[in-house]
Amino acid sequence: MVPYPDTTGENTPLLADNGAADTGNTGTSSSREDLFDFLEAKTPSGRKYEAVIIGLIAINVLSFILGSLFLEEYNDASWASRDSGICQNLCDSLFFGNYADNGLERLHLGTTSILEIVTVVVFSIEYIMRLFICDLEDSKYKGASGRFRYIFSFFSIVDLASTLPFFVDAILVDRDVAGSAFLRMFRLLRMMRVEGRYDTALTMVDDVYAAQKDILGTAIFIGCTTWISVSTLYYVVERKSLDMIYCGAAPDYCPEEVDTSLCTIDSWGIADCSKADCPPSEGYPEPCYNMFQSIPMASFYSLLNLFGEFPLVDQHSVGGMIVGTFTAIVAVAVFALPASIVASGFENEIEKRVGDNAPDLPPDRGLLTPDHQSNSTALRGRLYNFLHAQVSPGAVTFDYFINFLIVGTGITFCVDTLEISSVTLGGLMDIFEFLAVIIFTTEYVAKLYCCNEDPKFANGTTGILIYISSFLPMVDLLSVLPYWIEVVLVGSIAVQSNLVKALRLLRIFRFEKYTNAFSSFDDILYRNKDILSVTAFTAILLWVFFAAFLYLTERDNPDEEMSSNYSTVPNSMWMTLLNLSGEAPLCQYSIPGKVAIGILGLFATAIFGIPIGVLGAGFENILAEEHEDNNQELQQADLHAATQNAVSIAASRIEDECYKLTEGIGSAVARAFEGTIFFLIFAGVAIGVLQTVAGHKDDLSEIEAVIVVVFTLEYILRFIGAGANPEFMLESRDGFKSRVRYVFSFYSIVDLLSFVPFYLALALPGSIVDDYDEYLRMCRILRLLKLDKYVPSISLIDDVVRLKFNALRVALFASLSLWILFAALIYVFESSDTFNGIDPVPAYGCTEDCTMSDRFQNFFDSMVYTGVHLTGDFPITEYTWPSRFIQFLIVIAAVGVVSIPSALIATGFVEIVQSKIKTKNARNQGTTNTAIAGIAGDDWYEVAYRQLEGVEPPPSKFGPTVDKYQVMVNEFLNGKEDESGNVQFTSLASASRAFIFTVIILNIVAVLLESIPTIDSRVGNQKGNLFDVFEFVSVMVFAAEYAARLFCAPKNREALYSSAVYATTFFGIVDFLSTAPWFIEQGLLASGVLKPGDDIAMIFRIFRIFRILQLEDFFVAFSKLDNVFRASKDILKATGLMALIIWVGCAALFFIVEENNPNWRQCDDSVPPTSNHTIPGCYDFKSTAECNEFYPGLCEQKVFTNMPNTLYLTAVFLGGEWGVIDFTWPGRIVCLFLCVCGIGLYAIPIGALFDSFGAVLGLAETEEEFVEEEA
């Protein structure tokens, strides 16, 4: 008997056709073969059985999800009660099996249900049959030993996990076996048995690993090093922060709200909140604790930050904000490497398996037959030509009129959501809507009447039904039918239902005929149906599995917020959906929950995002195919770059000299002047930021005055030099007109705004200028725009828009349509949500007992929050279930589409900058071939290293004996190349490397353990304690290794045969820093400057964690950072400046408009929220400063307190994480700007670094490919 071949593998199509899998045996086959064919769905009856099994699995999963709603201890709703609920015990005995006393207790099978019993019987019989014929699946399962091996195969374990819990519960009938219900969720994995289809989703894992294993190890090292480093930094700066003390799981004897400002933290890092009425007890030795009291504890919150999530954004200290800013700007991108490699690997594997099997698009995708006109002169024919073909006189005008009505009814919906007291206006809008609906209805009926004139719908009634079910006619019907239904039911044209009003907005899809944006969606689904089938199954599998796991681990979480969000499986699925989309709105998980969230963020999110990315990428690809870029913009950019430094020979000498000086052209003095201006711009901005901090308003004012004087002189020089500036010169060569043009130019206005307020404040003391001094000071930020003259960035945006205009027009319509529609629907459901409570939002008119309805007071409010959600961030989670369903659609379909305009702008920006760079290089060097000096990013070291290829090391000046030992030590430490170029180590050398590797790992573990207060306090600080002895031994080992490497460097090509070079390389510096802090610490301790246990001494000890960088000797990664920066330096100049301007500029705007937002204000309990007719309340003051004047020290602004705090928050926002969201309307406008394009533009330099990092490390397919890209 020949076993059936394994159909899985790297060339397996994504979706095999089971119809082709019939064995078709015409001869005699054994009963075992027939059984195998039946179970593998290779016969018609087998496929029916497979469908039954899939249905049974789906019912089991659904019963588990719904059953969690009927657990009284987690759901106190009356409908879930066993006594008086909608199901009582019947549903439990039939489907759920939550309780042992549901009527089935007489069976003595434990907690079970009829569904459970039937399922286990079916699955058990199937398992026995599969065990019986398993040798037909694979010959290695033959015989008794083979069947024993089969029991431990993947699918066998899945089968056993789906049935064994039942038998365990039956045997231990009097015990509640924790997690047995969850184990039944493994039945979902049985669907992977559907051969050639869903099993491919996870069997690709080994193929992905095989393809990516060479780079994945390095990427994981980079990620782990970044993670540990960030965790350590957070631990150092936050371990003593009282704001980071968590009491959410404190026992009942503690107050509901513990005032952590009264707590203390001892030298070991243990919090004591006895003064806050939450003392430790025997049962609760640490009821409150600092969330960063150890590096392992800090690692979870750091991990969330590295995912781009900052759930503690408003609690960090100044040091924490600095670490958080670094994390948001740089570390997040570096840490994303492993997850990106996994996602990229899956996408590549899918594309490889699809191969040439991707289906072609259907030839005709429009609603009507293209260019068809009716030849009939009857009414139906004339209507068709007027309404559909639009070739009759007046047809286009009528179409414009319909468009006007669509826009008008949309505006009336938006205005109608505002609280306008004018009865007249409301009546006029009702009349306008009524007349518009009559016209829309008449048009719809007329289109329906004449649609048979089109060949597509010519088949009488059937054709009409096909027309009605098409996309645009369905939109027309849904936009008017609900209106007429309500008018008939209510008897008035004044429609009250918000849902009916919102359906008016469906009419905006009628503009689809101008862009064909949404007609592309069926093309995307058709073209990618195989990929979507596989990846969607994987995504659903991950979603349900992790939701079930987190439900069981977090439903009993002592933190009320956590337990309420995971009290049922549907609730858990909502939160897990957000987790899989990259969100982490909650953070106080149990230990198992933290592990699950870590896995979700590291790997599952990348896999879950593939189908979402497929939809977005598919839409973008179709846009690229159908809408070409306007390449004339690139040519104009090249022309501008080639002529921007031209100097007019007609200008006077003084004009010419002033122009050259200010532009840094020609002399060393000019370049030095340009460099000075650069420095002063950054210095002035830094001073402006510092002066927003309380108590530092007048710091460095003298330096600021000097900077203003220099900028004034620069402006005068530019004014004079305008006569020689080609940008302002006219054909008449008139210097006066050139200077007038300069004065009214963008850069001139920026210059004036950067220093004129300073002179106004001096000239008009005590005037209105002083009243707005803080805002005028923020004008200094505009000095950053001066840099655009030297490195064009912001000024290129209009070029980018023109370059990508064709695709942007379509993408913006699709994005705006989805945005408006989802915003309207969310408004409909949340404007009446008075159940889900939120924090006070006094800026919106609510100071106590606020709910979601206070956030969603009108359509425009909903537009803001929906806009944020469409970027993929969910700072608000307290939605009703209808809104959660809408958010599900946003996550699945809309996020990928709405991100396309931002992606197009970013892509266009990079293209224009690269075009300018190439032109500049061609002008300056006459060539753009970067391969001459090697790979892009190489510097003198790489060049010198290549030059030493085949060169023998020089002899030692200390004689042949030293020379001999240097060679021996070098071969021992660095190995010896064989004839094939591979480095070989002796057994002793390999053992030594393993020993060093082990010592490094043990040092990292020692630092982690020493940071744990309970362990550190037990070991103590006494001289000669375990940690000190281990540290001494480690330092001696590392110092000996460092000395040996210095000694043998003259024989090491990696050190360019030089000890000095080795000492200055990445490896040498890391080796030096692995021991130097210990010697410095010992010297300071011996001199009495430091004492054991001091915080500064602790920092020296914590510094050991960075010995992890010594692993670079085993995984080359960080030593290539300088290559990465050089490889991307040209594009970083423009994109980095633009990112800096967006960051600082938006931070300044946020600070100006949000500094006194009462939504961020908190007051002591003794301060009333609002006026009680005798004294003003917390939210009655215009500013927090005024509140503190009246109530000294009792009012506090939590966020946007100064520019450093705002810069930190804005860095987080630009990473796509909206840690705070309830802005004023000016703040909302800044927020929407960031959502629409700011985040995408800001991410360009990080993306450039990321691409270069990957290419330098080997992510590019070939070295030549990377060189070509950089060229």
Side-chain angles (χ1 to χ4, degrees), residues 159-173:
D159 290 341
L160 291 174
S162 64
T163 56
L164 281 182
F166 174 86
F167 296 108
V168 173
D169 283 348
I171 295 171
L172 304 175
V173 67

Side-chain angles (χ1 to χ4, degrees), residues 909-922:
F909 193 92
V910 171
E911 289 177 10
I912 285 184
V913 170
Q914 287 178 334
S915 179
K916 285 178 173 287
I917 291 170
K918 290 178 181 178
T919 303
K920 180 179 178 181
N921 289 341

Side-chain angles (χ1 to χ4, degrees), residues 1003 1007 1031-1032 1034-1036 1038-1039 1042 1068-1086 1090 1096-1107 1109-1110:
N1003 268 264
V1007 174
E1031 172 67 0
F1032 175 77
S1034 300
V1035 167
M1036 294 303 105
F1038 293 140
Y1042 180 62
I1069 294 172
V1070 168
D1071 288 343
F1072 174 76
L1073 292 178
S1074 68
T1075 58
W1078 185 84
F1079 291 106
I1080 296 173
E1081 180 190 9
Q1082 296 307 308
L1084 294 175
L1085 288 171
L1090 288 182
I1096 298 179
M1098 181 271 297
I1099 293 175
F1100 276 104
R1101 299 170 74 85
I1102 294 300
F1103 202 87
R1104 291 175 294 167
I1105 197 72
F1106 294 104
R1107 288 174 184 167
L1109 292 174
Q1110 288 184 288

Side-chain angles (χ1 to χ4, degrees), residues 239-240 266-268 1010 1016 1019-1025 1027-1028 1078 1080-1101:
R239 62 188 293 266
K240 294 295 184 70
D266 64 19
S267 58
W268 302 110
E1010 193 175 1
D1016 193 25
V1019 174
N1021 284 329
Q1022 292 79 13
K1023 197 170 184 179
N1025 65 70
F1027 288 130
D1028 286 347
W1078 185 84
I1080 296 173
E1081 180 190 9
Q1082 296 307 308
L1084 294 175
L1085 288 171
S1087 63
V1089 176
L1090 288 182
K1091 294 181 180 180
D1094 285 353
D1095 283 345
I1096 298 179
M1098 181 271 297
I1099 293 175
F1100 276 104
R1101 299 170 74 85

Side-chain angles (χ1 to χ4, degrees), residues 12 80 307 383 400 502 538 545 554-555 627 855 931 1022 1099 1165:
T12 304
F307 293 159
L383 280 175
Y400 287 153
T538 310
F545 183 86
E554 304 306 319
R555 62 180 179 176
H627 303 278
R855 274 192 175 127
Q1022 292 79 13
I1099 293 175
D1165 292 340

